[in-house]
Amino acid sequence: MTPIYYTQLESPVGDLLLTLEDEQLTNICMTNQERTVKVQPDWVQSDRHFRTVARQLEDYFRGKRRTFDIPLRPLGTDFQMAVWQQLSKIPYGETATYGDIAKRIDNPKAVRAVGLANGRNPLPIVIPCHRVIGSNGQLTGFGGGLKNKALLLQIERSL
């Protein structure tokens, strides 16, 4: 069985717990978020496996990276995967509404389901769920907290 590696990384949005399996990033968990991932006894702690990921995240937080070049393995339903794929297409520094995403997956009535899928995103920041806002232009729902959502958007708009 392939080991699951993990590490913790300090960031402006709090400590991040990262997991990796088969050289693919599977989770970025803000340790202060509602849906947390807990380290399992059979996981292997390793900073070495996360050097590229850590460097890219640090560059992002410094405003020096707009895109990520990291192999990803988000696990979810077909619907969630379709939503996450659309989230990845929201340009750096821009936002979209839940309704926009629902239309992009050809399911315009699925606004609430898009919101739920957005909230289940296992790879926030890299799959930019923080770029999704309410139809009124307000910041809504973010597992890492609205303060962190605002901070991520501020980082992206500061260039």
Side-chain angles (χ1 to χ4, degrees), residues 82-110:
V83 169
W84 300 337
Q85 183 177 33
Q86 291 305 312
L87 298 180
S88 295
K89 294 179 181 180
I90 303 170
Y92 181 93
E94 296 183 23
T95 57
T97 67
Y98 296 97
D100 293 335
I101 301 301
K103 288 175 192 162
R104 291 177 192 171
I105 61 168
D106 295 324
N107 198 342
K109 293 184 179 182

Side-chain angles (χ1 to χ4, degrees), residues 30-44:
M30 295 176 199
T31 56
N32 63 345
Q33 73 184 42
E34 298 165 10
R35 183 186 61 83
T36 60
V37 173
K38 299 204 184 308
V39 175
Q40 300 301 306
D42 59 334
W43 292 3
V44 179

Side-chain angles (χ1 to χ4, degrees), residues 54-100:
R55 185 177 65 253
Q56 289 190 25
L57 284 168
E58 289 163 359
D59 287 349
Y60 169 84
F61 288 123
R62 283 193 223 107
K64 297 182 178 202
R65 175 171 290 275
R66 292 174 174 245
T67 60
F68 295 92
D69 182 22
I70 302 168
L72 306 177
R73 185 195 278 180
L75 300 175
T77 65
D78 289 344
F79 181 83
Q80 290 169 331
M81 298 292 274
V83 169
W84 300 337
Q85 183 177 33
Q86 291 305 312
L87 298 180
S88 295
K89 294 179 181 180
I90 303 170
Y92 181 93
E94 296 183 23
T95 57
T97 67
Y98 296 97
D100 293 335

